[in-house]
Amino acid sequence: MNFHRVRWLLAGPTTLSVASSVHVQLVATDPLCPPVSCCAEQSVEASTRPGCFVHALWTFNYCCSTGPRLDCYRWGEDSPGYDLVVHTAISGVQCRHLCQSHEACVYWTYLVDAPQLPDGLRGQCYLKGDGAVKNPVQAHPFVVSGERICTQFGEGMPRADAAARPGLDVRVQGTLVPWRTAAGSLSAAAAAGYAVLASAGTNQWHVEAAELVRTLGFVVVLDALDPGSVRRLRQSVKGVSDLMLSHDRDRIGNRGPRRYSYGGASQTLHMVHVQEWAGLVDNAAVNAVLPHVFPQGYLAVGGGGDFVLGSTSTYQSLHLDVGGGPIYDLGVPPAVGANFVVDDLTCADAPLRIVVGSHSNPDNPPSLMTEAEDLKASVICPLPAGSVIIRDLRAWHGGTPSGSGKDRYMPNAEYVSLQWGQLTCGTGQILDPCQPVLPKSLYEQMSPLGRAISESIVDRSGMLDHLMRDGEWLRKDFAHFERHQAHVF
């Protein structure tokens, strides 16, 4: 039987549009949602009380549609036609994420896995293209639909808006403060019109750069990599990215739809078993700045970074990359990351955003729904290929939507202070400076400084050489629905 005909048999003859402006409470018909009583208090926090735990794929907003967010999960709404692809899904939340993972999807429809539906329709997720948004109709109660981006969640941005956003301006008492510098010649920076620190290109550039890390939480060095190094690094990260994508046909990602963590896909949680990543740990510009950030010394812990596919439409929630201890009490940052730019980065290319000064704020970052717009606009761009963003890992940061079809790659290296290293050595945490993540063969190619800061992460057993040789470093099941504050959406 024709699928759309089945829909109408279930829905009845009416073709009335569902009015998303009517914010009465609707109870979901997904049998895997918690009891209806869990929706009574109408808050995400209340819904997590005993007996009302909301799984990341059966969230409060999905199971207890109410208020303005009723528009995000429209129970009883359908839009016949415009189908791009059909998936089997286990909830409407998963169907919604699948829509955000598909480059052309603008609207999704999910038929719940309920006994009231025929076997062939249960758990089916229909991703739809242009036109579906304009043709909503009232349907049976076991269907739920929505658009790719729900404004009530504050989670995304249309591609045109992302393409038009400006870069970050930092002002202190009304005065514009540059956040870029350079180790060498300023000719390229001047030609591009970049404002740079006063010491840029002098023999004191690294001292002022470190001061900016302490005060703002980050600094950008425009010439950290020469063109040959950029070319080799880009080729390497592109190869790793393509390998990861070959195991994620639906572009689910492991840091949100179409968004990927390199380290999160690795057996070691790091990528410095790859020669080009090991070279980042030993980068001269970064290691010129870090002694002034960590005057008592520092250690390398590894590196990873991320990549974002073109046409990614969602933000990543603001978050820290370090925690679980006295991160504000040591007198120095516990950890610093160095994110490298391998292509000229415009403000349309899913740049990183960093909240200026947040590295000294002990509060939790706001959710996307409560975040001020100026925080979403704190994007670190434009930047030329070969730049590095050196940032305090306590600084609130997150990924941004893409306004282009261009994939954005940003590998990184990571370091900890000696104080933090003493607290975390042997714990197995991602920033543990005593985990064997660097092959001995690559360690021996490093500079004396690189070897000194990396000695405790060297694998002397040969295990990593085996993993690299057989391609077993990649966790092939890395792709899964993971996003910060997942219970909210």
Side-chain angles (χ1 to χ4, degrees):
M1 179 180 289
N2 179 273
F3 165 68
H4 298 302
R5 178 59 179 163
V6 173
R7 287 191 188 182
W8 293 116
L9 288 174
L10 287 164
T14 180
T15 58
L16 297 175
S17 295
V18 176
S20 59
S21 61
V22 179
H23 299 314
V24 297
Q25 181 165 337
L26 293 181
V27 176
T29 56
D30 191 325
L32 292 177
C33 282
V36 173
S37 59
C38 294
C39 298
E41 296 184 52
Q42 298 189 9
S43 75
V44 174
E45 293 75 16
S47 70
T48 60
R49 66 184 188 275
C52 289
F53 175 75
V54 178
H55 187 278
L57 295 183
W58 289 274
T59 64
F60 180 83
N61 287 306
Y62 170 62
C63 294
C64 308
S65 297
T66 186
R69 292 174 210 155
L70 175 63
D71 194 47
C72 300
Y73 293 102
R74 303 173 188 171
W75 287 94
E77 178 179 306
D78 191 4
S79 184
Y82 309 100
D83 294 347
L84 298 172
V85 66
V86 182
H87 291 280
T88 297
I90 58 177
S91 79
V93 179
Q94 187 179 45
C95 183
R96 186 168 172 273
H97 287 179
L98 284 165
C99 179
Q100 293 173 345
S101 300
H102 192 289
E103 185 174 359
C105 179
V106 299
Y107 182 98
W108 56 272
T109 292
Y110 178 66
L111 279 74
V112 301
D113 188 3
Q116 290 86 348
L117 295 180
D119 288 343
L121 297 182
R122 295 180 190 175
Q124 296 301 289
C125 168
Y126 294 81
L127 308 185
K128 298 172 177 291
D130 289 335
V133 175
K134 303 173 184 177
N135 190 37
V137 296
Q138 188 177 29
H140 58 86
F142 297 100
V143 64
V144 57
S145 299
E147 297 179 28
R148 179 188 185 93
I149 297 298
C150 185
T151 57
Q152 300 299 333
F153 286 150
E155 63 178 344
M157 175 182 284
R159 183 166 169 173
D161 292 347
R165 64 191 162 198
L168 174 67
D169 276 346
V170 177
R171 295 182 182 273
V172 176
Q173 297 179 341
T175 301
L176 190 66
V177 176
W179 43 264
R180 301 176 180 90
T181 190
S185 171
L186 299 182
S187 57
Y194 295 136
V196 296
L197 296 176
S199 63
T202 74
N203 60 7
Q204 291 296 301
W205 74 269
H206 49 289
V207 178
E208 191 177 18
E211 180 62 23
L212 224 63
V213 176
R214 286 193 292 269
T215 56
L216 300 185
F218 75 99
V219 71
V220 172
V221 184
L222 296 172
D223 55 350
L225 295 172
D226 61 64
S229 297
V230 171
R231 184 173 60 255
R232 290 187 294 273
L233 178 60
R234 190 191 188 283
Q235 182 178 12
S236 180
V237 298
K238 174 70 161 57
V240 170
S241 303
D242 288 347
L243 176 62
M244 291 171 61
L245 291 173
S246 72
H247 293 276
D248 184 23
R249 178 177 55 86
D250 296 324
R251 305 305 189 245
I252 292 167
N254 62 349
R255 288 299 180 270
R258 304 178 67 80
R259 191 179 301 279
Y260 297 82
S261 162
Y262 290 115
S266 172
Q267 300 282 4
T268 66
L269 301 180
H270 291 278
M271 291 296 301
V272 291
H273 54 264
V274 177
Q275 183 172 12
E276 288 74 20
W277 259 274
L280 300 183
V281 170
D282 202 19
N283 180 262
V286 173
N287 284 299
V289 174
L290 292 185
H292 300 278
V293 177
F294 300 121
Q296 294 175 297
Y298 64 99
L299 300 169
V301 295
D306 74 322
F307 70 99
V308 183
L309 298 181
S311 302
T312 296
S313 55
T314 54
Y315 285 97
Q316 188 183 35
S317 299
L318 289 172
H319 60 284
L320 292 69
D321 280 346
V322 64
I327 61 175
Y328 302 102
D329 303 330
L330 300 176
V332 293
V336 162
N339 294 79
F340 292 82
V341 179
V342 300
D343 292 300
D344 290 342
L345 181 73
T346 74
C347 293
D349 299 323
L352 185 70
R353 61 194 174 114
I354 300 177
V355 179
V356 175
S358 58
H359 60 301
S360 59
N361 186 345
D363 295 336
N364 291 324
S367 70
L368 287 173
M369 285 182 286
T370 61
E371 185 181 328
E373 285 303 312
D374 62 327
L375 302 190
K376 291 181 176 175
S378 58
V379 286
I380 309 303
C381 61
L383 298 174
S387 300
V388 63
I389 305 169
I390 303 174
R391 59 187 177 90
D392 187 324
L393 293 186
R394 297 172 299 181
W396 301 352
H397 67 285
T400 66
S402 172
S404 73
K406 176 181 171 183
D407 298 341
R408 190 273 286 158
Y409 310 102
M410 198 175 284
N412 82 351
E414 296 165 334
Y415 311 83
V416 295
S417 68
L418 282 183
Q419 300 95 312
W420 188 253
Q422 290 168 354
L423 292 174
T424 57
C425 179
T427 63
Q429 298 179 13
I430 191 170
L431 295 177
D432 182 346
C434 302
Q435 291 293 302
V437 299
L438 176 67
K440 186 171 181 290
S441 59
L442 296 182
Y443 166 77
E444 291 174 343
Q445 298 175 33
M446 287 182 163
S447 70
L449 175 58
R451 291 196 297 272
I453 63 175
S454 303
E455 186 174 0
S456 62
I457 61 171
V458 177
D459 169 43
R460 303 180 190 278
S461 70
M463 176 196 69
L464 288 177
D465 291 320
H466 172 75
L467 290 178
M468 281 296 294
R469 184 170 55 250
D470 296 340
E472 293 300 319
W473 65 267
L474 177 68
R475 294 194 301 108
K476 296 180 175 60
D477 61 347
F478 72 88
H480 53 89
F481 293 98
E482 179 178 313
R483 56 196 303 175
H484 296 284
Q485 301 163 327
H487 65 282
V488 173
F489 297 100

Coordinates of all heavy atoms in Angstrom, one line a residue, residues 262-332:
Y262 N 38.5 14.1 16.7 CA 39.5 13.1 16.3 C 39.8 12.2 17.4 O 39.8 11.0 17.3 CB 40.8 13.8 15.8 CG 40.6 14.6 14.5 CD1 40.8 15.9 14.4 CD2 40.4 13.9 13.3 CE1 40.7 16.6 13.2 CE2 40.4 14.5 12.1 CZ 40.5 15.9 12.0 OH 40.4 16.6 10.8
G263 N 40.1 12.8 18.6 CA 40.5 12.0 19.7 C 39.4 11.1 20.2 O 39.6 10.0 20.7
G264 N 38.1 11.6 20.1 CA 37.0 10.7 20.5 C 36.8 9.5 19.6 O 36.1 8.6 20.0
A265 N 37.5 9.4 18.5 CA 37.4 8.3 17.6 C 38.6 7.4 17.7 O 38.7 6.3 17.1 CB 37.3 8.7 16.1
S266 N 39.6 7.7 18.6 CA 40.8 7.0 18.7 C 40.8 6.1 20.0 O 40.3 6.5 21.0 CB 42.0 8.0 18.8 OG 43.2 7.3 19.1
Q267 N 41.4 5.0 19.8 CA 41.5 4.0 21.0 C 42.3 4.7 22.2 O 42.0 4.3 23.3 CB 42.3 2.8 20.6 CG 41.6 2.0 19.4 CD 40.4 1.1 19.9 OE1 40.0 1.2 21.1 NE2 39.9 0.4 19.0
T268 N 43.2 5.6 21.9 CA 44.0 6.2 22.9 C 43.4 7.6 23.4 O 44.0 8.2 24.3 CB 45.4 6.5 22.4 OG1 45.4 7.4 21.4 CG2 46.1 5.2 22.0
L269 N 42.4 8.0 22.7 CA 41.8 9.3 22.9 C 42.7 10.5 22.4 O 42.4 11.6 22.6 CB 41.4 9.6 24.4 CG 40.5 8.6 25.0 CD1 40.2 9.0 26.5 CD2 39.1 8.6 24.3
H270 N 43.7 10.1 21.7 CA 44.7 11.1 21.1 C 45.0 10.6 19.7 O 44.8 9.5 19.3 CB 45.9 11.2 22.0 CG 45.7 11.9 23.3 ND1 45.6 13.2 23.5 CD2 45.4 11.3 24.5 CE1 45.3 13.5 24.8 NE2 45.2 12.3 25.4
M271 N 45.7 11.6 19.0 CA 46.1 11.3 17.6 C 47.6 11.5 17.4 O 48.1 11.5 16.2 CB 45.4 12.3 16.7 CG 43.9 12.0 16.6 SD 43.5 10.4 15.9 CE 44.3 10.5 14.3
V272 N 48.4 11.6 18.5 CA 49.8 11.8 18.3 C 50.6 10.6 17.9 O 51.8 10.6 17.7 CB 50.5 12.5 19.5 CG1 49.9 13.9 19.7 CG2 50.2 11.6 20.8
H273 N 49.9 9.5 17.6 CA 50.6 8.3 17.0 C 50.7 8.6 15.5 O 51.4 7.8 14.8 CB 49.7 7.1 17.2 CG 48.3 7.2 16.8 ND1 47.3 7.5 17.7 CD2 47.7 7.1 15.6 CE1 46.1 7.6 17.0 NE2 46.4 7.3 15.8
V274 N 50.1 9.7 15.0 CA 50.3 10.1 13.6 C 51.4 11.2 13.5 O 51.4 12.1 14.3 CB 49.0 10.7 13.0 CG1 49.1 11.2 11.6 CG2 47.9 9.6 13.1
Q275 N 52.3 11.0 12.6 CA 53.5 11.9 12.5 C 53.2 13.3 12.6 O 53.8 14.1 13.3 CB 54.4 11.5 11.3 CG 55.7 12.3 11.3 CD 56.6 11.8 10.2 OE1 56.2 11.0 9.3 NE2 57.8 12.2 10.2
E276 N 52.2 13.8 11.8 CA 51.9 15.2 11.7 C 51.3 15.7 13.0 O 51.6 16.9 13.4 CB 51.0 15.5 10.5 CG 51.6 15.3 9.1 CD 51.8 13.9 8.7 OE1 51.2 13.0 9.3 OE2 52.7 13.6 7.8
W277 N 50.6 14.9 13.7 CA 50.1 15.4 15.0 C 51.2 15.5 16.0 O 51.3 16.4 16.8 CB 49.0 14.4 15.5 CG 47.6 14.9 15.3 CD1 46.9 15.7 16.2 CD2 46.7 14.6 14.3 NE1 45.6 15.9 15.7 CE2 45.5 15.2 14.6 CE3 46.8 13.8 13.1 CZ2 44.4 15.1 13.7 CZ3 45.7 13.7 12.3 CH2 44.5 14.3 12.6
A278 N 52.1 14.5 16.0 CA 53.3 14.6 16.9 C 54.1 15.8 16.6 O 54.6 16.4 17.6 CB 54.2 13.3 16.7
G279 N 54.2 16.3 15.4 CA 54.8 17.5 15.0 C 54.2 18.7 15.7 O 54.9 19.7 16.0
L280 N 52.9 18.7 15.8 CA 52.2 19.8 16.5 C 52.6 20.0 17.9 O 52.7 21.1 18.4 CB 50.7 19.6 16.4 CG 50.1 19.5 15.0 CD1 48.5 19.4 15.0 CD2 50.5 20.7 14.1
V281 N 52.8 18.9 18.6 CA 53.2 18.9 20.0 C 54.5 19.7 20.1 O 54.8 20.4 21.1 CB 53.3 17.5 20.6 CG1 54.0 17.5 21.9 CG2 52.0 16.8 20.7
D282 N 55.4 19.5 19.1 CA 56.7 20.0 19.1 C 56.8 21.4 18.3 O 57.9 21.9 18.0 CB 57.7 19.0 18.4 CG 59.1 19.2 18.7 OD1 59.4 19.9 19.7 OD2 60.0 18.7 18.0
N283 N 55.6 22.0 18.1 CA 55.6 23.3 17.3 C 56.4 24.4 18.0 O 56.2 24.7 19.2 CB 54.2 23.7 17.1 CG 54.1 25.0 16.3 OD1 53.9 26.1 16.9 ND2 54.2 24.9 15.0
A284 N 57.3 25.1 17.3 CA 58.2 26.0 17.9 C 57.4 27.3 18.4 O 57.7 27.8 19.5 CB 59.2 26.5 16.9
A285 N 56.4 27.8 17.7 CA 55.7 29.0 18.1 C 55.0 28.7 19.4 O 55.0 29.5 20.3 CB 54.8 29.4 17.0
V286 N 54.3 27.6 19.5 CA 53.5 27.2 20.7 C 54.5 27.1 21.9 O 54.2 27.6 23.0 CB 52.7 25.9 20.5 CG1 52.1 25.5 21.8 CG2 51.7 26.1 19.4
N287 N 55.6 26.4 21.7 CA 56.5 26.2 22.8 C 57.4 27.4 23.1 O 58.1 27.4 24.1 CB 57.4 25.0 22.4 CG 56.6 23.7 22.6 OD1 56.2 23.4 23.7 ND2 56.5 22.9 21.5
A288 N 57.2 28.5 22.3 CA 57.8 29.7 22.7 C 56.9 30.5 23.7 O 57.4 31.2 24.6 CB 58.1 30.6 21.5
V289 N 55.6 30.3 23.6 CA 54.6 31.0 24.4 C 54.4 30.2 25.7 O 54.3 30.9 26.8 CB 53.3 31.1 23.7 CG1 52.2 31.6 24.6 CG2 53.4 31.9 22.4
L290 N 54.4 28.9 25.7 CA 54.0 28.2 26.9 C 54.9 28.3 28.1 O 54.4 28.3 29.3 CB 53.9 26.7 26.6 CG 52.7 26.3 25.6 CD1 52.6 24.8 25.5 CD2 51.4 26.9 26.1
P291 N 56.2 28.5 28.0 CA 57.0 28.7 29.2 C 56.6 30.0 30.0 O 56.8 30.1 31.2 CB 58.4 28.9 28.7 CG 58.5 28.1 27.4 CD 57.1 28.4 26.8
H292 N 56.0 31.0 29.3 CA 55.5 32.2 30.0 C 54.1 32.0 30.5 O 53.7 32.8 31.4 CB 55.6 33.3 29.0 CG 57.0 33.6 28.5 ND1 57.9 34.3 29.2 CD2 57.6 33.2 27.4 CE1 59.0 34.4 28.6 NE2 58.9 33.7 27.4
V293 N 53.4 31.0 30.0 CA 52.1 30.6 30.6 C 52.3 29.7 31.8 O 51.5 29.8 32.8 CB 51.2 29.9 29.6 CG1 49.9 29.5 30.2 CG2 50.9 30.8 28.4
F294 N 53.2 28.8 31.7 CA 53.5 27.8 32.8 C 55.0 28.1 33.3 O 55.9 27.3 32.9 CB 53.5 26.4 32.2 CG 52.1 26.0 31.6 CD1 52.0 25.6 30.3 CD2 51.0 26.0 32.4 CE1 50.8 25.2 29.8 CE2 49.8 25.6 31.9 CZ 49.7 25.2 30.6
P295 N 55.2 29.1 34.1 CA 56.6 29.4 34.5 C 57.2 28.3 35.3 O 58.5 28.2 35.4 CB 56.4 30.7 35.4 CG 55.0 30.7 35.7 CD 54.2 30.1 34.6
Q296 N 56.5 27.4 35.9 CA 57.1 26.3 36.7 C 57.2 25.1 35.9 O 57.7 24.0 36.4 CB 56.2 26.0 37.9 CG 56.2 27.2 39.0 CD 55.2 26.9 40.1 OE1 54.0 26.8 39.9 NE2 55.8 26.8 41.3
G297 N 56.9 25.1 34.6 CA 57.1 24.0 33.7 C 55.7 23.4 33.3 O 54.7 23.7 33.8
Y298 N 55.8 22.6 32.2 CA 54.6 22.0 31.6 C 55.0 20.7 30.9 O 56.2 20.4 30.7 CB 53.9 22.9 30.6 CG 54.8 23.3 29.4 CD1 54.6 22.7 28.2 CD2 55.8 24.3 29.5 CE1 55.3 23.0 27.1 CE2 56.5 24.6 28.4 CZ 56.3 24.0 27.2 OH 57.0 24.3 26.1
L299 N 54.0 19.9 30.6 CA 54.1 18.6 30.0 C 53.1 18.5 28.8 O 52.0 19.0 28.9 CB 53.8 17.5 31.0 CG 54.7 17.4 32.2 CD1 54.1 16.4 33.2 CD2 56.1 17.0 31.9
A300 N 53.6 17.8 27.8 CA 52.6 17.5 26.7 C 51.8 16.3 27.1 O 52.3 15.3 27.8 CB 53.4 17.1 25.4
V301 N 50.5 16.3 26.7 CA 49.7 15.1 27.0 C 49.2 14.4 25.7 O 48.7 13.3 25.8 CB 48.4 15.5 27.9 CG1 48.9 15.9 29.2 CG2 47.6 16.6 27.2
G302 N 49.3 15.1 24.6 CA 48.8 14.4 23.3 C 48.2 15.5 22.4 O 48.6 16.6 22.4
G303 N 47.1 15.1 21.8 CA 46.4 16.0 20.9 C 45.4 15.3 20.1 O 45.4 14.1 20.0
G304 N 44.4 16.1 19.6 CA 43.3 15.5 18.8 C 42.8 16.6 17.9 O 43.2 16.8 16.8
G305 N 41.7 17.3 18.4 CA 41.1 18.4 17.7 C 39.8 17.9 17.0 O 39.2 16.9 17.5
D306 N 39.3 18.6 16.1 CA 38.0 18.3 15.5 C 37.9 18.7 14.0 O 38.8 19.4 13.5 CB 36.9 19.0 16.3 CG 36.8 20.5 16.0 OD1 37.8 21.1 15.9 OD2 35.7 21.0 16.0
F307 N 36.9 18.2 13.4 CA 36.5 18.7 12.1 C 35.0 18.8 12.0 O 34.3 18.1 12.6 CB 37.1 17.9 10.9 CG 36.6 16.5 10.7 CD1 35.6 16.3 9.7 CD2 37.0 15.5 11.5 CE1 35.1 15.0 9.5 CE2 36.5 14.2 11.3 CZ 35.6 13.9 10.3
V308 N 34.5 19.7 11.1 CA 33.1 20.0 10.9 C 32.8 20.0 9.4 O 33.5 20.7 8.6 CB 32.8 21.4 11.5 CG1 31.3 21.7 11.4 CG2 33.2 21.5 13.0
L309 N 31.8 19.3 9.1 CA 31.4 19.2 7.6 C 30.7 20.5 7.2 O 30.0 21.2 8.0 CB 30.5 18.0 7.4 CG 31.1 16.7 7.7 CD1 30.1 15.6 7.4 CD2 32.4 16.4 6.9
G310 N 30.9 20.9 5.9 CA 30.2 22.0 5.4 C 28.7 21.8 5.5 O 28.2 20.7 5.6
S311 N 28.0 22.9 5.7 CA 26.5 23.0 5.8 C 26.0 22.4 7.1 O 24.8 22.1 7.3 CB 25.8 22.2 4.7 OG 26.2 22.7 3.4
T312 N 26.9 22.3 8.1 CA 26.5 22.0 9.5 C 25.7 23.2 10.0 O 26.2 24.3 10.0 CB 27.7 21.7 10.4 OG1 28.4 20.5 9.9 CG2 27.3 21.5 11.8
S313 N 24.5 22.9 10.5 CA 23.6 24.0 10.9 C 23.5 24.2 12.4 O 22.8 25.2 12.8 CB 22.3 23.8 10.3 OG 21.7 22.6 10.7
T314 N 24.1 23.4 13.2 CA 23.9 23.5 14.7 C 25.2 24.0 15.4 O 26.3 23.8 14.9 CB 23.6 22.2 15.3 OG1 24.5 21.2 14.9 CG2 22.2 21.7 14.8
Y315 N 24.9 24.7 16.5 CA 26.0 25.1 17.4 C 26.3 23.9 18.3 O 25.5 23.0 18.5 CB 25.5 26.2 18.4 CG 25.4 27.5 17.8 CD1 24.2 28.1 17.3 CD2 26.6 28.4 17.7 CE1 24.1 29.3 16.8 CE2 26.5 29.6 17.2 CZ 25.3 30.1 16.7 OH 25.2 31.4 16.2
Q316 N 27.5 23.9 18.8 CA 27.9 23.0 19.9 C 27.8 23.9 21.2 O 28.1 25.0 21.2 CB 29.4 22.6 19.7 CG 29.9 21.5 20.7 CD 31.3 21.2 20.5 OE1 32.1 22.1 20.2 NE2 31.7 20.0 20.7
S317 N 27.2 23.3 22.2 CA 27.0 24.0 23.5 C 28.4 24.5 24.0 O 29.4 23.8 23.9 CB 26.4 23.1 24.5 OG 25.1 22.7 24.1
L318 N 28.4 25.6 24.7 CA 29.6 26.1 25.4 C 30.0 25.1 26.4 O 29.2 24.5 27.2 CB 29.3 27.4 26.0 CG 29.2 28.6 25.1 CD1 28.7 29.9 25.9 CD2 30.5 28.9 24.3
H319 N 31.3 24.8 26.5 CA 31.8 23.9 27.5 C 33.3 24.1 27.8 O 33.9 24.9 27.1 CB 31.7 22.4 27.0 CG 32.4 22.2 25.7 ND1 31.9 22.6 24.4 CD2 33.6 21.5 25.4 CE1 32.8 22.3 23.5 NE2 33.8 21.6 24.0
L320 N 33.8 23.5 28.8 CA 35.2 23.5 29.1 C 35.9 22.2 28.7 O 35.2 21.2 28.6 CB 35.5 23.6 30.7 CG 35.1 24.9 31.4 CD1 33.6 25.1 31.4 CD2 35.6 24.9 32.8
D321 N 37.2 22.2 28.5 CA 37.9 21.0 28.1 C 38.7 20.4 29.3 O 39.5 19.5 29.1 CB 38.8 21.2 26.9 CG 38.0 21.3 25.6 OD1 36.9 20.8 25.6 OD2 38.6 21.7 24.6
V322 N 38.5 20.9 30.5 CA 39.2 20.4 31.6 C 38.3 20.6 32.8 O 37.5 21.5 32.9 CB 40.5 21.2 31.8 CG1 40.3 22.6 32.1 CG2 41.4 20.5 32.9
G323 N 38.4 19.7 33.8 CA 37.5 19.7 35.0 C 37.9 18.6 35.9 O 38.9 17.9 35.8
G324 N 37.0 18.5 36.9 CA 37.2 17.4 37.9 C 38.3 17.6 38.9 O 38.9 16.7 39.4
G325 N 38.6 18.9 39.2 CA 39.6 19.1 40.2 C 39.7 20.6 40.5 O 38.9 21.4 40.0
P326 N 40.8 21.0 41.2 CA 40.9 22.5 41.5 C 41.4 23.3 40.4 O 42.5 23.9 40.4 CB 41.9 22.4 42.7 CG 42.8 21.2 42.3 CD 41.8 20.2 41.7
I327 N 40.6 23.4 39.3 CA 41.2 24.1 38.1 C 41.3 25.6 38.3 O 42.0 26.2 37.4 CB 40.3 23.7 36.9 CG1 38.8 24.3 37.1 CG2 40.2 22.2 36.6 CD1 38.0 24.1 35.9
Y328 N 40.7 26.2 39.3 CA 40.9 27.6 39.5 C 41.8 28.0 40.7 O 42.0 29.1 41.0 CB 39.5 28.3 39.7 CG 38.6 28.0 38.6 CD1 37.6 27.0 38.7 CD2 38.6 28.7 37.4 CE1 36.7 26.8 37.7 CE2 37.8 28.5 36.4 CZ 36.8 27.5 36.5 OH 35.9 27.2 35.5
D329 N 42.5 27.0 41.3 CA 43.2 27.2 42.5 C 44.7 27.0 42.4 O 45.4 27.1 43.4 CB 42.7 26.3 43.6 CG 41.2 26.4 43.8 OD1 40.6 27.5 43.6 OD2 40.5 25.4 44.2
L330 N 45.2 26.8 41.2 CA 46.6 26.4 41.1 C 47.5 27.6 40.8 O 48.8 27.5 40.8 CB 46.8 25.4 40.0 CG 46.0 24.1 40.2 CD1 46.2 23.1 39.0 CD2 46.5 23.4 41.5
G331 N 46.9 28.8 40.5 CA 47.7 29.9 40.1 C 48.1 30.0 38.7 O 48.6 31.1 38.2
V332 N 48.0 28.9 37.9 CA 48.3 28.9 36.5 C 47.2 28.1 35.8 O 46.5 27.3 36.5 CB 49.6 28.3 36.2 CG1 50.8 29.1 36.7 CG2 49.7 26.9 36.7

